[in-house]
Amino acid sequence: MRIVKRLLFCVWMLGVVACTHTVVDDVYSARGQDSRIKYIIIHYTGENQEDSLRILTEQQVSAHYLITDESPVRVLQLVPESQRAWHSGESYWGKDSQLNGISIGIEIVNSGQRKNAMGDEAWQPYSSEQIERLILLLKDIQQRHQITPEHILGHSDVAPLRKIDPGPNFPWQWLAQEGLGRWYDEDRVVQLMQYYQQKGLPSAEKVQQNLRKLGYFIEPHGKWDSDNRQVLQVFQMHYRPLRYDGVLDAQTAAIIEDLIQTDKKSLFNN
Ligand SMILES: [Zn+2]
C-alpha cells in the first residue's frame, strides 16, 4: 500500500513538472543559421577611467567591453554579447540602421579632444597596450561572429553628424595591418592622386555617391553643405587623419575611389 502511494505521488509530481516546464531537446541543429552580430563599433569614452566606468554601468549608456587606461590595461565585459548594449544610438551603415541590435560595442578609456596647458585643443593619444589588447579582442569577436572587414567601424562612421569618436588618433592603419577593417592600397592611391591632380577632381555628386556605396549615411545631392562636409571629415579622420578639414582634395578622392574599386573586386571574387 505504501509503495502504491509512493508511485501515485511520483506520477503526480511528473505531471506537475510536465505542466510547468517545457522540456527542450536540442539534439538536432540546423545548418541555416548565423550570428545576429554584423558590426563591431569602436568608441572612446571621453572621460577618465573612474567616470567612464560609473557612466557605463549606472547610466542609460553601456558597451559590451571597456578597455581601461591603467597599467596593466584590463578588458572589462560590462554587457554579455547575447544582450544589446546601448552604445551607438541613432546610427546607419549601408542599408542597416539602429546598429545597437546587431553590433558589439567597445569603449576605450580616452578623453578625446581636450585643451592642453597652452590652451590649445589636443587629442589624447591611445596607449600601445590599449591597442594591443583591442586587437586581440577584435580578432576573437571577428572570428566568432564572422564579421566582415568593412563592418569594423568607429562611432563617427555610423553617426557622422553626431559623433567624432574614436577620433583622428585612433590607429585604423595599425588595425588594418592586423587584418582588421577595410584599408586602401597605398601605391594605387598615389597613382590615382596624380591622375586627379592632372585631370581635376571628380564631381561632388560622384564622390558623395561613392561615400554612400562605401556605407556612409550621406545624401548625394551634389553640393558640399555642412552635413556632407561633416561626413567627409569623419571619413578623413578614419583614412587620412593628418588632415580632416572636410574639404575634398586629390588624396581623399583617391582613397575613396580605391576603396570602391577594392569593393568591386571582392564582389566579383565572391
Ligand atoms: Zn561613441
Side-chain angles (χ1 to χ4, degrees):
M1 191 61 192
R2 212 169 159 188
I3 293 170
V4 172
K5 268 188 181 171
R6 251 186 215 175
L7 274 172
L8 283 172
F9 178 73
C10 289
V11 169
W12 178 77
M13 277 299 289
L14 280 170
V16 169
V17 170
C19 287
T20 57
H21 295 274
T22 301
V23 177
V24 176
D25 189 338
D26 60 1
V27 69
Y28 301 102
S29 179
R31 183 180 290 183
Q33 57 179 306
D34 58 13
S35 172
R36 295 171 203 254
I37 302 299
K38 285 175 70 180
Y39 295 89
I40 304 173
I41 308 297
I42 299 167
H43 310 252
Y44 64 53
T45 60
E47 303 287 345
N48 64 32
Q49 182 165 315
E50 190 185 348
D51 289 341
S52 300
L53 194 52
R54 182 178 49 77
I55 292 165
L56 287 169
T57 55
E58 294 178 13
Q59 297 187 5
Q60 297 297 305
V61 287
S62 60
H64 294 92
Y65 298 98
L66 174 65
I67 297 182
T68 69
D69 69 347
E70 62 207 326
S71 183
V73 166
R74 284 187 298 162
V75 179
L76 305 175
Q77 180 158 27
L78 307 179
V79 177
E81 289 184 10
S82 57
Q83 294 284 99
R84 177 164 51 183
W86 301 346
H87 59 97
S88 279
E90 193 177 339
S91 47
Y92 306 87
W93 192 255
K95 291 179 179 157
D96 291 325
S97 60
Q98 307 299 334
L99 303 183
N100 281 347
I102 49 173
S103 66
I104 299 285
I106 302 175
E107 291 272 4
I108 306 170
V109 176
N110 176 291
S111 57
Q113 196 178 30
R114 290 283 161 94
K115 277 199 168 60
N116 62 19
M118 308 291 289
D120 300 324
E121 293 284 351
W123 294 91
Q124 189 193 347
Y126 293 89
S127 74
S128 301
E129 199 184 340
Q130 283 180 310
I131 303 304
E132 282 159 9
R133 294 298 304 270
L134 172 69
I135 285 170
L136 290 176
L137 179 63
L138 286 172
K139 284 183 176 175
D140 177 48
I141 297 170
Q142 185 194 37
Q143 199 251 330
R144 282 187 290 105
H145 293 286
Q146 297 295 299
I147 311 282
T148 55
E150 66 275 18
H151 283 181
I152 298 177
L153 295 162
H155 199 182
S156 54
D157 293 314
V158 299
L161 304 185
R162 297 189 302 115
K163 295 289 175 182
I164 53 170
D165 62 309
N169 271 345
F170 186 78
W172 290 106
Q173 191 172 9
W174 182 1
L175 263 61
Q177 284 160 0
E178 294 286 338
L180 297 161
R182 176 159 63 180
W183 201 248
Y184 55 87
D185 183 293
E186 290 182 15
D187 293 337
R188 284 201 310 257
V189 162
V190 169
Q191 288 170 11
L192 280 164
M193 203 172 129
Q194 287 165 351
Y195 174 82
Y196 289 134
Q197 281 164 342
Q198 287 164 11
K199 304 276 180 185
L201 293 172
S203 70
E205 192 175 3
K206 171 79 176 161
V207 173
Q208 290 162 0
Q209 281 168 351
N210 281 343
L211 282 168
R212 189 161 184 124
K213 277 184 203 161
L214 290 175
Y216 286 89
F217 186 68
I218 186 169
E219 203 179 327
H221 52 50
K223 291 196 187 94
W224 286 113
D225 64 13
S226 61
D227 283 1
N228 288 9
R229 276 200 301 273
Q230 181 73 21
V231 176
L232 195 62
Q233 190 174 25
V234 301
F235 176 86
Q236 289 168 331
M237 278 188 184
H238 188 134
Y239 292 102
R240 208 274 305 272
L242 289 179
R243 197 166 79 242
Y244 49 89
D245 51 11
V247 175
L248 184 68
D249 53 47
Q251 191 181 27
T252 307
I255 295 169
I256 293 170
E257 182 61 29
D258 184 63
L259 291 172
I260 287 285
Q261 287 181 14
T262 307
D263 270 12
K264 275 188 200 150
K265 276 182 209 142
S266 60
L267 273 176
F268 186 71
N269 289 337
N270 286 338

